[in-house]
Every structure is written in structure tokens, then in C-alpha cells.
Amino acid sequence: MKQLRIRTLIGLFVVAGVLSWAGARLWDSLGDLPSVPLAAPIVLAVIAAVLLATALSIRARLRAQRERRPGAKGVEPMMAARALVFGQASALVAALVTGVYGGAGVFLLSLLDVPARRDQAIYAGFAVLAGVGVIAAALFLERVCRLPDDEDEVGAAAA
């Protein structure tokens, strides 16, 4: 599998943010802007926690296997591959969602005098933070799942 590129994630975030900001301005000028759901940061935080728990579990199992501890459970290659695919997909979707809530949050900053919009700006800010957490956890999971041969190829490509 190819490694996720930070540039790709940042590009998705920026494009989604700009389109979301422009869409929020247009939507607000035509009518009532939809609200930012309170569940958005909660769901993103749960996904980040699942990714982090998966990464820590795989890392502990790999370490136990490497140290040849008695009774150590190995990591099945298909389980690691599924975890990696889940992490990469989560990072890509989180980059888009984080950009959407970031763009909406930037637009909502101009409406902080309205209490309902202020709350939505806060929800959008927490959603952005939770989305960054998902991306960080996914990148950590990707690093944990890297094979020793992958590290040699990365080092050779950098030289």
C-alpha cells in the first residue's frame, strides 16, 4: 500500500474549506444557513479514539512478538491490512470533513454576536480539532503498521 501524503490531506482540507466557506456565504445570503450538528465533534472524537486504540493494540502485539514473549499473540497480516485501510480512509474523509467544518466555522466567526451562531462556531471549532485528531491517529496507525522492508524503501527514496 502507498503511504498517505500529508500534502494530499492538506490539499483536501484547504479545497474543502474554501468551498465550504464560499458555500456558507452563498447559502446565508439566499436563506437560512444549516446548523453545525453537536454530534460532529463527538463522532470524530470516537473515530480518533478507535484508531488510536487499534494502533496501540497492534503496536503492543508486534512488540510482544518481536521480544518473543511466551503466549504473545501475533498480528494477522489481513487484520493489519484492514486496520491500515480503515486508517487511511478515515484520514481522507476526516480531511474533507475538517475542511468543511473549518470553512463553515470561519464564516460563522463573522456572526458571533448571534448566540446560536456562536454555539455553532464552537461546535465547528471542536469538529476541526477532532478531525485533526482523527488524521493524527490514522497517521500513527499507518506508522505502526509499516513493515521493516517499508522503512528501508523510504530511507532509500529519501537519499
Side-chain angles (χ1 to χ4, degrees):
M1 285 192 98
K2 286 190 173 185
Q3 187 174 357
L4 276 177
R5 292 184 173 203
I6 301 291
R7 285 183 281 162
T8 303
L9 297 173
I10 291 173
L12 285 171
F13 169 77
V14 169
V15 168
V18 169
L19 291 175
S20 174
W21 173 78
R25 284 190 63 190
L26 177 65
W27 200 320
D28 192 56
S29 68
L30 295 176
D32 198 20
L33 182 67
S35 64
V36 176
L38 174 61
I42 295 169
V43 170
L44 288 170
V46 167
I47 293 170
V50 168
L51 286 169
L52 183 61
T54 303
L56 293 174
S57 172
I58 290 174
R59 185 177 73 165
R61 290 171 73 178
L62 286 173
R63 182 175 291 153
Q65 186 178 11
R66 216 177 10 252
E67 294 172 356
R68 301 196 193 288
R69 292 184 195 155
K73 291 183 179 180
V75 177
E76 294 179 28
M78 282 305 292
M79 194 267 303
R82 287 182 186 128
L84 182 61
V85 168
F86 173 61
Q88 287 186 346
S90 297
L92 291 168
V93 171
L96 284 170
V97 169
T98 303
V100 167
Y101 286 125
V106 168
F107 172 75
L108 289 169
L109 289 177
S110 64
L111 303 172
L112 289 179
D113 53 334
V114 179
R117 295 298 185 195
R118 182 175 44 246
D119 290 345
Q120 291 184 9
I122 292 170
Y123 300 157
F126 282 133
V128 169
L129 290 175
V132 170
V134 169
I135 293 168
L139 292 175
F140 178 62
L141 175 61
E142 184 179 61
R143 187 166 196 265
V144 166
C145 290
R146 186 179 300 156
L147 295 173
D149 296 336
D150 292 343
E151 292 172 0
D152 295 339
E153 291 174 12
V154 170

